Amino acid sequence: MQTSDPNHPITCARESGRVRVLFEGHEIADSDDVLVLREADYPPVRYFPRDDVAMAFLRRSDKTTRCPYKGAASYYTIYRDGQIIEDAVWSYEAPLPGMERLTGRLAFYPQHVDFQNDALSPAETATLAPGAPPRSERDVDQIVDQLAELLELA
């Protein structure tokens, strides 16, 4: 998915590997079908299928916001082990045209949860931007780029 506005580009692609969301050490989402949305200069956002999220720990709040590119967002509060984190999760229930892939998916504010990708160590998952290839693939790409530069110099 990509919008056509060159001043505000939006792309969306699947993240490789299985991604888990942990709240206070407890898994609240687990999916191998995570979409990573990259929008303009904002940090990337992971969107999880609703069926892969433990909805028993989320309750819809009254908060809504509107994005001119994605549409109206609904918010959810996390309730787990006596902790309450208001509006920590959001969803575009009926996104605008061009954003339909977000329908039925939930995103988590990263300051409230931890993400784990089974293709990466926990430290790599925390420091690697969503959707970036695992370290081994990046290393290969870097070597190929360096070889191409050397060949151009020869």
Side-chain angles (χ1 to χ4, degrees):
M1 156 180 41
Q2 181 169 353
T3 64
S4 58
D5 184 350
N7 296 320
H8 193 93
I10 299 176
T11 61
C12 191
R14 283 190 68 187
E15 181 167 4
S16 63
R18 175 170 226 85
V19 183
R20 291 174 183 81
V21 178
L22 302 176
F23 174 70
E24 298 294 323
H26 299 284
E27 184 177 283
I28 58 173
D30 179 4
S31 182
D32 62 358
D33 182 24
V34 175
L35 295 179
V36 178
L37 184 111
R38 296 177 188 282
E39 179 178 2
D41 295 328
Y42 297 111
V45 176
R46 291 175 168 106
Y47 284 86
F48 291 76
R50 188 177 307 264
D51 288 344
D52 294 342
V53 176
M55 295 301 293
F57 300 109
L58 304 180
R59 296 218 178 44
R60 189 161 177 177
S61 73
D62 292 333
K63 180 178 179 177
T64 60
T65 58
R66 182 154 179 26
C67 170
Y69 300 96
K70 296 182 295 291
S74 302
Y75 288 79
Y76 294 81
T77 296
I78 298 174
Y79 291 87
R80 177 79 200 228
D81 295 336
Q83 296 218 24
I84 299 171
I85 307 296
E86 293 185 14
D87 304 323
V89 182
W90 74 94
S91 177
Y92 293 96
E93 308 293 332
L96 294 175
M99 298 290 123
E100 291 89 354
R101 287 181 70 189
L102 299 181
T103 304
R105 292 181 177 268
L106 297 159
F108 296 81
Y109 280 109
Q111 64 266 34
H112 300 301
V113 298
D114 293 312
F115 296 100
Q116 288 183 347
N117 183 313
D118 66 355
L120 307 170
S121 73
E124 288 175 314
T125 301
T127 60
L128 186 64
R135 180 171 307 283
S136 60
E137 290 178 33
R138 288 184 290 134
D139 291 344
V140 169
D141 289 343
Q142 185 178 23
I143 292 168
V144 169
D145 289 343
Q146 289 173 348
L147 283 173
E149 288 176 14
L150 289 172
L151 290 172
E152 289 176 6
L153 295 174

